[in-house]
Coordinates of all heavy atoms in Angstrom, one line a residue:
H1 N 5.1 10.1 -15.5 CA 4.3 8.9 -15.3 C 5.0 8.0 -14.3 O 6.2 7.7 -14.4 CB 4.2 8.2 -16.7 CG 3.1 7.2 -16.7 ND1 3.4 5.9 -16.4 CD2 1.8 7.3 -17.0 CE1 2.2 5.2 -16.5 NE2 1.3 6.1 -16.9
S2 N 4.3 7.6 -13.2 CA 5.0 6.9 -12.2 C 5.5 5.5 -12.6 O 6.5 5.0 -12.0 CB 4.0 6.7 -11.0 OG 2.9 6.0 -11.4
L3 N 4.9 4.9 -13.6 CA 5.4 3.6 -14.0 C 6.8 3.6 -14.6 O 7.5 2.6 -14.7 CB 4.4 2.9 -14.9 CG 3.1 2.5 -14.3 CD1 2.2 1.9 -15.4 CD2 3.3 1.5 -13.2
D4 N 7.2 4.9 -14.9 CA 8.6 5.0 -15.4 C 9.7 4.8 -14.4 O 10.8 4.4 -14.6 CB 8.8 6.4 -16.1 CG 7.9 6.6 -17.3 OD1 7.5 5.6 -17.9 OD2 7.7 7.7 -17.7
W5 N 9.4 5.1 -13.1 CA 10.4 5.0 -12.0 C 9.9 4.2 -10.9 O 10.8 3.8 -10.0 CB 10.7 6.5 -11.5 CG 9.5 7.2 -11.1 CD1 8.7 8.1 -11.8 CD2 8.8 7.1 -9.8 NE1 7.7 8.6 -11.0 CE2 7.7 8.0 -9.8 CE3 9.0 6.4 -8.6 CZ2 6.8 8.1 -8.7 CZ3 8.2 6.5 -7.6 CH2 7.1 7.4 -7.6
I6 N 8.7 3.7 -10.8 CA 8.2 3.0 -9.6 C 9.0 1.7 -9.3 O 9.1 1.3 -8.2 CB 6.7 2.9 -9.7 CG1 6.1 2.6 -8.3 CG2 6.3 1.7 -10.6 CD1 6.1 3.9 -7.4
G7 N 9.5 1.1 -10.3 CA 10.2 -0.1 -10.1 C 11.6 0.0 -9.4 O 12.2 -0.9 -9.0
E8 N 12.0 1.3 -9.2 CA 13.2 1.6 -8.6 C 13.1 1.8 -7.1 O 14.1 1.9 -6.3 CB 13.9 2.9 -9.2 CG 14.2 2.7 -10.6 CD 14.7 4.0 -11.2 OE1 15.1 4.9 -10.5 OE2 14.5 4.1 -12.5
V9 N 11.8 1.7 -6.6 CA 11.6 1.8 -5.1 C 12.3 0.7 -4.4 O 12.0 -0.5 -4.8 CB 10.1 1.9 -4.8 CG1 9.8 1.8 -3.3 CG2 9.4 3.1 -5.4
D10 N 13.1 1.0 -3.5 CA 13.9 -0.1 -2.8 C 13.7 -0.1 -1.3 O 14.6 -0.4 -0.5 CB 15.3 0.0 -3.2 CG 16.0 1.3 -2.7 OD1 15.3 2.2 -2.2 OD2 17.2 1.4 -2.9
V11 N 12.6 0.4 -0.8 CA 12.3 0.4 0.6 C 11.0 -0.4 0.8 O 10.2 -0.6 -0.1 CB 12.1 1.8 1.1 CG1 13.4 2.6 1.0 CG2 11.0 2.5 0.4
P12 N 10.8 -0.9 2.0 CA 9.6 -1.7 2.3 C 8.3 -0.8 2.0 O 8.3 0.4 2.3 CB 9.6 -2.0 3.8 CG 11.1 -2.0 4.1 CD 11.7 -0.9 3.2
T13 N 7.4 -1.4 1.3 CA 6.2 -0.7 0.8 C 5.0 -1.5 0.9 O 4.9 -2.7 0.7 CB 6.4 -0.4 -0.8 OG1 7.7 0.3 -0.9 CG2 5.3 0.5 -1.3
A14 N 3.9 -0.8 1.3 CA 2.6 -1.3 1.4 C 1.7 -0.4 0.6 O 1.8 0.8 0.7 CB 2.1 -1.5 2.8
V15 N 0.7 -1.0 -0.1 CA -0.2 -0.2 -0.9 C -1.6 -0.5 -0.4 O -2.0 -1.7 -0.5 CB -0.1 -0.5 -2.4 CG1 -1.1 0.4 -3.2 CG2 1.4 -0.2 -2.9
V16 N -2.3 0.5 0.1 CA -3.7 0.3 0.5 C -4.5 0.6 -0.8 O -4.5 1.6 -1.4 CB -4.1 1.3 1.6 CG1 -5.5 1.2 1.9 CG2 -3.2 1.1 2.8
V17 N -5.3 -0.4 -1.1 CA -6.1 -0.4 -2.4 C -7.6 -0.4 -2.0 O -8.1 -1.2 -1.3 CB -5.8 -1.7 -3.2 CG1 -6.7 -1.8 -4.4 CG2 -4.4 -1.7 -3.7
T18 N -8.2 0.7 -2.5 CA -9.7 0.8 -2.3 C -10.4 -0.1 -3.4 O -10.1 0.1 -4.6 CB -10.1 2.2 -2.3 OG1 -9.6 2.9 -3.5 CG2 -9.7 3.0 -1.1
Q19 N -11.2 -1.0 -3.0 CA -11.7 -2.0 -3.9 C -12.9 -1.5 -4.8 O -13.3 -2.2 -5.7 CB -12.2 -3.3 -3.1 CG -11.0 -3.9 -2.4 CD -11.4 -5.1 -1.6 OE1 -12.2 -5.0 -0.8 NE2 -10.8 -6.3 -2.0
H20 N -13.5 -0.4 -4.5 CA -14.7 0.1 -5.2 C -14.4 1.5 -5.6 O -15.4 2.3 -5.6 CB -15.9 -0.1 -4.4 CG -16.1 -1.5 -3.9 ND1 -16.4 -2.5 -4.7 CD2 -16.0 -2.0 -2.6 CE1 -16.5 -3.6 -4.0 NE2 -16.2 -3.3 -2.7
D21 N -13.2 1.9 -6.1 CA -12.9 3.2 -6.3 C -13.2 3.6 -7.8 O -12.8 2.9 -8.7 CB -11.3 3.4 -6.1 CG -10.9 4.8 -5.9 OD1 -11.4 5.7 -6.6 OD2 -10.1 5.1 -5.0
N22 N -14.0 4.7 -7.9 CA -14.3 5.2 -9.3 C -13.4 6.3 -9.7 O -13.4 6.8 -10.8 CB -15.7 5.7 -9.3 CG -16.7 4.5 -9.2 OD1 -16.4 3.4 -9.7 ND2 -17.8 4.7 -8.5
V23 N -12.5 6.8 -8.8 CA -11.6 7.9 -9.1 C -10.3 7.3 -9.6 O -9.8 7.7 -10.7 CB -11.4 8.8 -7.9 CG1 -10.3 9.9 -8.2 CG2 -12.7 9.5 -7.4
V24 N -9.7 6.4 -8.8 CA -8.5 5.7 -9.2 C -9.0 4.2 -9.3 O -9.1 3.6 -8.2 CB -7.3 5.9 -8.3 CG1 -6.1 5.1 -8.7 CG2 -7.0 7.3 -8.1
P25 N -9.2 3.7 -10.5 CA -9.7 2.3 -10.5 C -8.8 1.3 -9.8 O -7.6 1.4 -9.8 CB -9.8 2.0 -12.0 CG -9.9 3.4 -12.7 CD -9.1 4.3 -11.8
T26 N -9.5 0.3 -9.2 CA -8.7 -0.7 -8.4 C -7.7 -1.4 -9.3 O -6.6 -1.7 -8.9 CB -9.7 -1.7 -7.9 OG1 -10.7 -1.1 -7.0 CG2 -9.0 -2.8 -7.1
R27 N -8.0 -1.6 -10.6 CA -7.1 -2.2 -11.5 C -5.8 -1.4 -11.6 O -4.7 -2.0 -11.6 CB -7.7 -2.4 -12.9 CG -6.8 -2.7 -14.0 CD -7.5 -2.6 -15.4 NE -8.2 -1.3 -15.6 CZ -7.6 -0.2 -16.0 NH1 -6.3 -0.2 -16.2 NH2 -8.2 0.9 -16.3
R28 N -5.9 -0.1 -11.6 CA -4.7 0.8 -11.7 C -3.9 0.8 -10.4 O -2.7 0.8 -10.4 CB -5.1 2.2 -12.1 CG -5.6 2.2 -13.6 CD -5.7 3.6 -14.2 NE -4.5 4.3 -14.1 CZ -4.4 5.6 -14.0 NH1 -5.5 6.3 -13.9 NH2 -3.2 6.2 -13.9
Q29 N -4.7 0.7 -9.3 CA -4.0 0.7 -8.0 C -3.2 -0.6 -7.9 O -2.0 -0.6 -7.4 CB -5.0 0.8 -6.9 CG -5.8 2.1 -6.8 CD -6.9 2.0 -5.7 OE1 -6.5 1.8 -4.5 NE2 -8.1 2.1 -6.1
R30 N -3.8 -1.7 -8.3 CA -3.0 -3.0 -8.2 C -1.9 -3.0 -9.2 O -0.8 -3.6 -8.9 CB -4.0 -4.1 -8.4 CG -5.0 -4.3 -7.3 CD -5.8 -5.6 -7.4 NE -6.6 -5.8 -6.3 CZ -6.2 -6.4 -5.1 NH1 -4.9 -6.8 -5.0 NH2 -7.0 -6.5 -4.1
Q31 N -2.0 -2.4 -10.3 CA -0.9 -2.3 -11.3 C 0.2 -1.5 -10.7 O 1.4 -2.0 -10.9 CB -1.4 -1.6 -12.6 CG -0.4 -1.5 -13.7 CD -1.0 -0.8 -14.9 OE1 -1.8 0.1 -14.8 NE2 -0.4 -1.1 -16.1
L32 N 0.0 -0.5 -10.1 CA 1.0 0.3 -9.4 C 1.7 -0.5 -8.3 O 2.9 -0.6 -8.3 CB 0.4 1.6 -8.8 CG 1.4 2.5 -8.2 CD1 2.4 3.1 -9.2 CD2 0.7 3.7 -7.5
A33 N 0.9 -1.2 -7.5 CA 1.5 -2.0 -6.4 C 2.4 -3.1 -7.0 O 3.4 -3.4 -6.5 CB 0.4 -2.6 -5.6
A34 N 1.9 -3.7 -8.1 CA 2.7 -4.8 -8.7 C 4.0 -4.3 -9.3 O 4.9 -5.1 -9.4 CB 1.8 -5.5 -9.8
A35 N 4.1 -3.1 -9.6 CA 5.3 -2.5 -10.2 C 6.4 -2.2 -9.1 O 7.5 -1.9 -9.5 CB 5.0 -1.3 -11.0
I36 N 6.0 -2.2 -7.9 CA 6.9 -1.9 -6.8 C 7.5 -3.2 -6.2 O 6.7 -4.1 -5.7 CB 6.2 -1.1 -5.6 CG1 5.6 0.1 -6.2 CG2 7.2 -0.9 -4.5 CD1 4.7 0.8 -5.2
P37 N 8.8 -3.4 -6.4 CA 9.3 -4.7 -5.9 C 9.1 -4.9 -4.4 O 9.3 -4.1 -3.6 CB 10.8 -4.5 -6.1 CG 10.9 -3.5 -7.2 CD 9.8 -2.5 -6.9
G38 N 8.5 -6.1 -4.1 CA 8.2 -6.5 -2.7 C 7.0 -5.8 -2.1 O 6.8 -6.0 -0.9
A39 N 6.3 -5.0 -2.8 CA 5.1 -4.3 -2.1 C 4.1 -5.3 -1.7 O 3.8 -6.2 -2.4 CB 4.6 -3.3 -3.1
D40 N 3.5 -5.0 -0.6 CA 2.3 -5.8 -0.1 C 1.1 -5.0 -0.4 O 1.1 -3.7 -0.2 CB 2.5 -6.1 1.4 CG 3.5 -7.2 1.6 OD1 3.8 -8.0 0.8 OD2 4.1 -7.1 2.8
V41 N 0.0 -5.6 -0.7 CA -1.3 -5.0 -1.0 C -2.2 -5.2 0.2 O -2.3 -6.3 0.7 CB -1.9 -5.5 -2.3 CG1 -3.3 -4.9 -2.5 CG2 -1.0 -5.1 -3.5
Y42 N -2.8 -4.1 0.6 CA -3.8 -4.1 1.7 C -5.2 -3.6 1.1 O -5.4 -2.4 1.0 CB -3.4 -3.3 2.9 CG -2.2 -4.0 3.6 CD1 -0.9 -3.9 3.2 CD2 -2.6 -4.7 4.8 CE1 0.1 -4.6 3.9 CE2 -1.6 -5.3 5.5 CZ -0.2 -5.3 5.0 OH 0.7 -5.9 5.7
P43 N -6.1 -4.5 0.8 CA -7.4 -4.1 0.2 C -8.3 -3.5 1.3 O -8.3 -4.0 2.4 CB -7.9 -5.3 -0.4 CG -7.2 -6.5 0.3 CD -5.9 -6.0 0.7
V44 N -9.1 -2.5 0.9 CA -10.1 -1.9 1.8 C -11.4 -2.0 1.0 O -11.5 -1.5 -0.1 CB -9.8 -0.5 2.1 CG1 -10.9 0.2 2.9 CG2 -8.5 -0.4 2.9
P45 N -12.5 -2.5 1.6 CA -13.8 -2.5 1.0 C -14.4 -1.1 1.0 O -14.8 -0.7 2.0 CB -14.6 -3.5 1.8 CG -14.0 -3.5 3.1 CD -12.5 -3.2 2.9
G46 N -14.2 -0.4 -0.1 CA -14.8 0.9 -0.1 C -14.3 1.7 -1.3 O -13.6 1.1 -2.2
D47 N -14.7 2.9 -1.4 CA -14.4 3.8 -2.6 C -13.3 4.8 -2.2 O -12.7 4.7 -1.1 CB -15.6 4.4 -3.2 CG -16.3 5.4 -2.2 OD1 -15.7 5.8 -1.2 OD2 -17.5 5.7 -2.4
H48 N -13.1 5.8 -3.1 CA -12.0 6.8 -2.9 C -12.2 7.6 -1.6 O -11.2 8.0 -1.0 CB -12.1 7.7 -4.1 CG -10.8 8.4 -4.3 ND1 -9.7 7.8 -4.8 CD2 -10.5 9.7 -4.1 CE1 -8.7 8.7 -4.9 NE2 -9.1 9.9 -4.4
G49 N -13.4 7.7 -1.1 CA -13.6 8.5 0.1 C -13.7 7.7 1.4 O -14.0 8.2 2.4
T50 N -13.4 6.4 1.3 CA -13.5 5.5 2.4 C -12.7 6.0 3.6 O -13.2 5.9 4.8 CB -13.1 4.1 2.0 OG1 -14.0 3.6 1.0 CG2 -13.1 3.1 3.2
C51 N -11.5 6.6 3.4 CA -10.7 7.0 4.5 C -11.4 8.1 5.3 O -11.2 8.2 6.5 CB -9.4 7.6 4.0 SG -9.5 9.0 2.9
V52 N -12.3 8.9 4.7 CA -13.1 9.9 5.4 C -14.5 9.4 5.9 O -14.9 9.6 7.0 CB -13.3 11.2 4.5 CG1 -14.1 12.2 5.2 CG2 -11.9 11.8 4.2
H53 N -15.2 8.7 5.0 CA -16.5 8.3 5.2 C -16.7 7.0 5.9 O -17.8 6.8 6.5 CB -17.3 8.3 3.9 CG -17.3 9.6 3.2 ND1 -17.9 10.7 3.6 CD2 -16.7 10.0 2.0 CE1 -17.7 11.8 2.8 NE2 -16.9 11.3 1.8
Q54 N -15.7 6.2 5.9 CA -15.8 4.9 6.6 C -14.4 4.6 7.4 O -13.8 3.6 7.1 CB -16.1 3.8 5.7 CG -17.4 3.9 5.0 CD -17.6 2.7 4.0 OE1 -16.8 2.6 3.1 NE2 -18.6 1.9 4.2
P55 N -14.0 5.5 8.2 CA -12.7 5.3 8.9 C -12.7 4.0 9.7 O -11.6 3.4 9.8 CB -12.6 6.5 9.8 CG -14.0 7.0 10.0 CD -14.7 6.7 8.7
H56 N -13.8 3.5 10.2 CA -13.8 2.2 10.9 C -13.4 1.1 10.0 O -12.8 0.1 10.5 CB -15.2 1.9 11.4 CG -16.3 1.8 10.4 ND1 -16.9 3.0 9.8 CD2 -16.8 0.8 9.7 CE1 -17.7 2.6 8.9 NE2 -17.7 1.3 8.8
A57 N -13.5 1.2 8.7 CA -13.1 0.2 7.7 C -11.6 0.5 7.3 O -10.8 -0.4 7.0 CB -14.0 0.1 6.5
F58 N -11.3 1.8 7.1 CA -10.1 2.2 6.5 C -8.9 2.2 7.5 O -7.8 1.6 7.2 CB -10.2 3.6 5.9 CG -8.9 4.0 5.1 CD1 -8.7 3.6 3.8 CD2 -8.0 4.8 5.8 CE1 -7.6 4.0 3.1 CE2 -6.9 5.2 5.1 CZ -6.7 4.8 3.8
V59 N -9.1 2.7 8.7 CA -8.0 2.9 9.6 C -7.3 1.6 10.0 O -6.1 1.5 10.1 CB -8.4 3.8 10.8 CG1 -7.4 3.8 11.9 CG2 -8.8 5.2 10.4
P60 N -8.1 0.5 10.4 CA -7.4 -0.7 10.7 C -6.5 -1.2 9.6 O -5.4 -1.8 9.9 CB -8.5 -1.7 11.1 CG -9.7 -0.8 11.4 CD -9.5 0.4 10.5
V61 N -6.9 -1.1 8.4 CA -6.1 -1.6 7.2 C -4.9 -0.7 7.1 O -3.8 -1.2 6.9 CB -7.0 -1.6 5.9 CG1 -6.1 -2.0 4.8 CG2 -8.1 -2.6 6.1
L62 N -5.1 0.6 7.2 CA -3.9 1.5 7.1 C -2.9 1.2 8.2 O -1.7 1.2 8.0 CB -4.4 2.9 7.2 CG -3.3 4.0 7.2 CD1 -2.4 3.9 5.9 CD2 -3.9 5.4 7.4
A63 N -3.4 1.0 9.4 CA -2.5 0.7 10.5 C -1.8 -0.6 10.3 O -0.6 -0.7 10.6 CB -3.3 0.6 11.8
A64 N -2.4 -1.6 9.8 CA -1.8 -2.9 9.5 C -0.7 -2.7 8.4 O 0.4 -3.3 8.5 CB -2.8 -3.9 9.1
A65 N -1.0 -1.9 7.4 CA 0.0 -1.6 6.4 C 1.2 -0.9 7.0 O 2.4 -1.2 6.6 CB -0.6 -0.8 5.2
C66 N 1.0 0.1 7.8 CA 2.1 0.8 8.5 C 2.9 -0.1 9.3 O 4.2 0.0 9.3 CB 1.5 2.0 9.2 SG 0.8 3.3 8.2
R67 N 2.3 -1.0 10.1 CA 3.0 -1.9 11.0 C 3.9 -2.8 10.1 O 5.0 -3.1 10.4 CB 2.1 -2.7 11.8 CG 1.6 -2.1 13.1 CD 0.9 -3.0 14.0 NE -0.3 -3.6 13.4 CZ -1.5 -3.1 13.3 NH1 -1.7 -1.9 13.9 NH2 -2.5 -3.7 12.7
D68 N 3.3 -3.3 9.0 CA 4.0 -4.2 8.1 C 5.3 -3.5 7.6 O 6.4 -4.1 7.6 CB 3.1 -4.6 6.9 CG 3.9 -5.4 5.9 OD1 4.7 -6.3 6.2 OD2 3.7 -5.1 4.7
V69 N 5.2 -2.3 7.1 CA 6.3 -1.5 6.6 C 7.3 -1.3 7.7 O 8.5 -1.5 7.5 CB 5.8 -0.2 5.9 CG1 7.0 0.7 5.6 CG2 5.1 -0.5 4.6
S70 N 6.9 -0.9 8.8 CA 7.8 -0.6 9.9 C 8.5 -1.9 10.3 O 9.8 -1.9 10.5 CB 7.0 -0.1 11.1 OG 7.8 0.1 12.2
D71 N 7.8 -3.0 10.5 CA 8.5 -4.3 10.8 C 9.5 -4.7 9.8 O 10.6 -5.1 10.2 CB 7.4 -5.4 11.0 CG 6.5 -5.2 12.2 OD1 6.8 -4.4 13.1 OD2 5.5 -5.9 12.3
R72 N 9.2 -4.6 8.5 CA 10.1 -5.0 7.5 C 11.3 -4.0 7.5 O 12.5 -4.4 7.3 CB 9.5 -5.0 6.1 CG 8.5 -6.2 6.0 CD 8.1 -6.4 4.6 NE 7.1 -5.4 4.2 CZ 6.9 -5.0 3.0 NH1 7.6 -5.4 2.0 NH2 5.9 -4.1 2.8
A73 N 11.1 -2.7 7.7 CA 12.2 -1.8 7.8 C 13.2 -2.1 8.9 O 14.4 -2.1 8.8 CB 11.7 -0.3 7.8
L74 N 12.6 -2.3 10.1 CA 13.4 -2.7 11.3 C 14.1 -4.0 11.1 O 15.3 -4.0 11.5 CB 12.5 -2.8 12.5 CG 11.9 -1.4 13.0 CD1 10.9 -1.7 14.1 CD2 13.0 -0.5 13.5
A75 N 13.5 -5.0 10.5 CA 14.2 -6.2 10.3 C 15.4 -6.0 9.3 O 16.4 -6.7 9.4 CB 13.2 -7.2 9.7
H76 N 15.2 -5.2 8.3 CA 16.2 -4.9 7.3 C 17.4 -4.2 8.0 O 18.5 -4.4 7.6 CB 15.7 -4.1 6.2 CG 16.7 -3.8 5.1 ND1 17.4 -2.7 5.1 CD2 17.0 -4.5 4.0 CE1 18.2 -2.7 4.1 NE2 18.0 -3.8 3.4
D77 N 17.1 -3.3 8.9 CA 18.2 -2.5 9.6 C 18.9 -3.2 10.7 O 20.0 -2.8 11.1 CB 17.6 -1.2 10.1 CG 17.1 -0.3 9.0 OD1 17.6 -0.4 7.9 OD2 16.3 0.6 9.3
R78 N 18.4 -4.3 11.2 CA 19.1 -5.1 12.2 C 20.4 -5.7 11.7 O 20.4 -6.3 10.7 CB 18.2 -6.2 12.8 CG 17.0 -5.6 13.6 CD 16.3 -6.8 14.3 NE 15.1 -6.2 14.9 CZ 13.9 -6.6 14.6 NH1 13.7 -7.6 13.7 NH2 12.8 -6.1 15.1
P79 N 21.4 -5.6 12.5 CA 22.7 -6.3 12.1 C 22.5 -7.8 12.2 O 21.8 -8.3 13.0 CB 23.7 -5.8 13.1 CG 22.9 -5.2 14.3 CD 21.6 -4.8 13.7
A80 N 23.2 -8.5 11.3 CA 23.1 -9.9 11.3 C 23.8 -10.4 12.6 O 24.8 -9.9 13.0 CB 23.8 -10.5 10.1
R81 N 23.3 -11.5 13.1 CA 23.9 -12.1 14.3 C 24.9 -13.1 13.9 O 24.8 -13.8 13.0 CB 22.8 -12.8 15.2 CG 21.8 -11.9 15.8 CD 20.9 -12.6 16.7 NE 19.9 -11.6 17.3 CZ 19.0 -11.9 18.1 NH1 18.9 -13.2 18.5 NH2 18.2 -11.0 18.6
A82 N 26.0 -13.1 14.7 CA 27.1 -14.0 14.4 C 26.9 -15.3 15.0 O 26.1 -15.6 15.8 CB 28.4 -13.4 14.9

C-alpha cells in the first residue's frame, strides 16, 4: 500500500490529478498527493483517459508539472552563494 511509504518521498514532486476520474477517484489522487511532503497538485479537467483522448488539455498541465519539478530540483542542487 503506497500510503505506508509515500510520506518518505524527499524529492520535488508534482501530482497531475484528473478531476473526473472514475478509475482512480479524484479524492484518492488528492489523498496521495497530500501524503507526499511538498507535493504540488496540477488538476486536469478530464477523466482517466484524458491523456490519450484530450491531449490538448492534458499535455500543458503535465508540462507545467514537469517544469515545476525540474525548477525545484535545480534550485535545491544549486550551491548557496556566499
Side-chain angles (χ1 to χ4, degrees):
H1 196 269
S2 62
L3 289 178
D4 294 339
W5 55 264
I6 201 72
E8 297 173 22
V9 172
D10 64 352
V11 294
T13 306
V15 179
V16 177
V17 173
T18 48
Q19 296 179 304
H20 307 290
D21 200 318
N22 292 324
V23 177
V24 180
T26 301
R27 167 187 55 79
R28 290 193 58 212
Q29 295 176 62
R30 289 188 176 278
Q31 181 183 29
L32 182 66
I36 303 170
D40 288 333
V41 172
Y42 286 80
V44 175
D47 62 16
H48 200 73
T50 297
C51 61
V52 174
H53 301 292
Q54 295 177 301
H56 61 279
F58 185 83
V59 171
V61 176
L62 176 61
C66 291
R67 278 190 303 274
D68 174 47
V69 168
S70 176
D71 290 348
R72 288 191 285 152
L74 290 171
H76 181 266
D77 290 342
R78 287 189 190 119
R81 293 186 180 184

